[in-house]
Amino acid sequence: FLSQMSHELRTPMNAILGFGQLLDTDRRRPLAPQHRAWVGEILRGAAHLLELINEVLDLGRIESGQVSLETEPVAVCALVEECLGLVQALARERGVHLQPPLATLAPLWVQADRTRLKQVLLNLLGNAIKYNRPEGRVTVAWQAEGEAVRVTVQDSGRGLSGEDRQRLFTPFERLHATHSGIEGTGIGLALSRHLVQAMGGSIGADSEPGVGSSFWLRLPAAGGAAVPPHAPLGAAPSPGRADAPMPTQTVLYVEDNPVNTVLMEAILERLPGVRLVCAAMPDEGLRLARELLPALVLLDIQLPEMDGFEVLARLRADAATCHLPVVAVSANALASDIEAARAAGFAGYVTKPVDVGQLLHTVQGMLAGPAAAPAA
């Protein structure tokens, strides 16, 4: 039910966010300033709704016990630095200073699911930035506590009363921020608490009104070297020189939703030297793949008659098409969906609603790099 709801809710968001991004960034037919401002409001509202959809469904999966965690030794310092880099733009926008971790901090490891721990840290850092004061600061530190490691995110915001702290981890509770204009769903901390507890840890907050807050989490310590993070599915090689001539390359898109097809046509129109051919049905897509031998296949997962996994299997079973790189473009956005695609041999995975810039980068990278045969 949750997987189906995720797909059904994200599919219409693909058109809203996709066409909105195209309108906002169209240099050939730029909008009037007032119209562009209106589109900006549409995009902000849609992004907030998408965040709400994702977090509600994520919380539902966790509370129903449908989330499996893969714990491994995770280097705290490396993960914190990665997260600080990801929130740097938000901090600049809000005029908040991110303090680099002290060089004297010990190189500690925790036993955790790296992806989920990153999600928790990004939530704590985002809150520390959004609810800070202008020219405020955010610091991150960690220390060993017996057989555990405590990671603390400290801000110099207005602080919280004892009553507010008791309500912090309640779903949809935004305390006094509901009418502040600060974006948020009120689910992030509740979700973080479930995730940390599922990893065998605890999470809490200390705060002093007028001084600031410290959000902390404790996780089991892990010894030994950190396991390197998995390469993200769909990570594309760097494109070649921008001034290099680009021959015409064919991209085949198999998608039964006509609105998604129109959106993809509009997006890939921005790539010079790319010819997009679309197929609405799986059989048609397989036929065109054999006839055209495209440089790249973009493939929806939920298709009539046969799903994207079956289409991929048939492409791989055909000697003429077995070498073609195939990227999934799907509203199935659960971690299990992406992992299943990785295992099946997809070269990449783009979730709907698509981020136009990310999609263009993925397509460019796939077209620029040599097509590697999928692992057996």
Side-chain angles (χ1 to χ4, degrees), residues 149-166:
V149 174
R150 178 183 176 114
V151 183
T152 303
V153 177
Q154 185 173 10
D155 66 64
S156 57
R158 67 181 185 182
L160 300 165
S161 67
E163 180 184 351
D164 285 344
R165 289 201 303 277
Q166 293 178 359

Side-chain angles (χ1 to χ4, degrees), residues 348-361:
Y349 200 101
V350 176
T351 57
K352 302 172 186 172
V354 298
D355 179 289
V356 171
Q358 180 187 34
L359 175 63
L360 290 173
H361 177 74

Side-chain angles (χ1 to χ4, degrees), residues 20-31:
Q21 291 173 80
L22 289 176
L23 287 171
D24 188 48
T25 59
D26 194 335
R27 295 181 179 178
R28 290 188 299 167
R29 298 172 293 270
L31 296 174

Side-chain angles (χ1 to χ4, degrees), residues 135-153:
E135 299 301 319
R137 69 185 184 280
V138 174
T139 59
V140 185
W142 55 88
Q143 64 187 55
E145 289 189 348
E147 297 183 355
V149 174
R150 178 183 176 114
V151 183
T152 303
V153 177

Side-chain angles (χ1 to χ4, degrees), residues 124-137:
L124 296 183
L125 286 167
N127 286 346
I129 294 168
K130 290 189 296 183
Y131 299 105
N132 216 313
R133 56 179 173 81
E135 299 301 319
R137 69 185 184 280

Side-chain angles (χ1 to χ4, degrees), residues 40-56:
E41 292 300 325
I42 292 173
L43 289 173
R44 276 187 288 274
H48 178 77
L49 180 57
L50 178 61
E51 181 184 8
L52 180 62
I53 290 170
N54 290 338
E55 292 193 343
V56 166

